[in-house]
Amino acid sequence: MAILRGEQGAVQFDAAGSSNATIVGTRSWTLSITKDTLDVTDHGDTSRSFVGSLISGSGTVELVYDPDATGQAAFIEDVITAADPADATFELFTTGTAAGTDSVSFAGIITSMDIASTVGDLVVVTCNFITSGAITSNLE
């Protein structure tokens, strides 16, 4: 059984959805996926029956801020795109950065960005996102 450490993960992003680039300085990421259910119980049944329905996701990416780090500026600034067409692409890796390997990919929208600066500590940026459309899992 393989054990993965958080240091092996990465995030790739492209604001226009063309070619993802690794965001340098990624500290952590989270992704929560939910599936709605529909009640398909027939009249007269004594137990409820359900089927899966719409799938959605949301999460966060936390970065150690570095204004010169590759990919950070485009990622952080995507939150200020007002009429965002959800054309940004994300790929969240559990290990490595080989496209389509040990990852989850989707289009999405960055919904908020927080930046925190504390004396004696690293400047940290947290971006929250939602998925838009299909979520592709390449987890192995």
Side-chain angles (χ1 to χ4, degrees):
M1 174 168 97
I3 303 296
L4 298 178
R5 298 178 310 234
E7 67 192 45
Q8 296 167 309
V11 173
Q12 289 187 351
F13 174 81
D14 183 71
S18 59
S19 179
N20 285 357
T22 300
I23 300 174
V24 174
T26 299
R27 186 170 171 171
S28 67
W29 61 262
T30 65
L31 174 64
S32 298
I33 300 173
T34 59
K35 183 187 319 184
D36 294 341
T37 57
L38 300 174
D39 188 335
V40 294
T41 307
D42 290 331
H43 186 70
D45 285 353
T46 57
S47 298
R48 291 201 177 275
S49 297
F50 296 89
V51 296
S53 182
L54 299 174
I55 297 169
S56 62
S58 64
T60 62
V61 174
E62 186 179 63
L63 308 170
V64 173
Y65 181 66
D66 177 352
D68 299 324
T70 303
Q72 278 194 12
F75 186 73
I76 293 168
E77 293 172 4
D78 196 57
V79 73
I80 59 175
T81 303
D84 197 330
D87 61 350
T89 54
F90 295 72
E91 190 159 7
L92 310 177
F93 295 87
T94 57
T95 182
T97 57
T101 305
D102 288 329
S103 64
V104 179
S105 56
F106 50 88
I109 299 173
I110 296 179
T111 58
S112 67
M113 185 272 294
D114 299 309
I115 188 165
S117 179
T118 305
V119 174
D121 204 354
L122 299 170
V123 175
V124 176
V125 177
T126 302
C127 292
N128 297 299
F129 61 84
I130 59 169
T131 63
S132 179
I135 300 169
T136 304
S137 175
N138 299 304
L139 299 173
E140 297 178 359

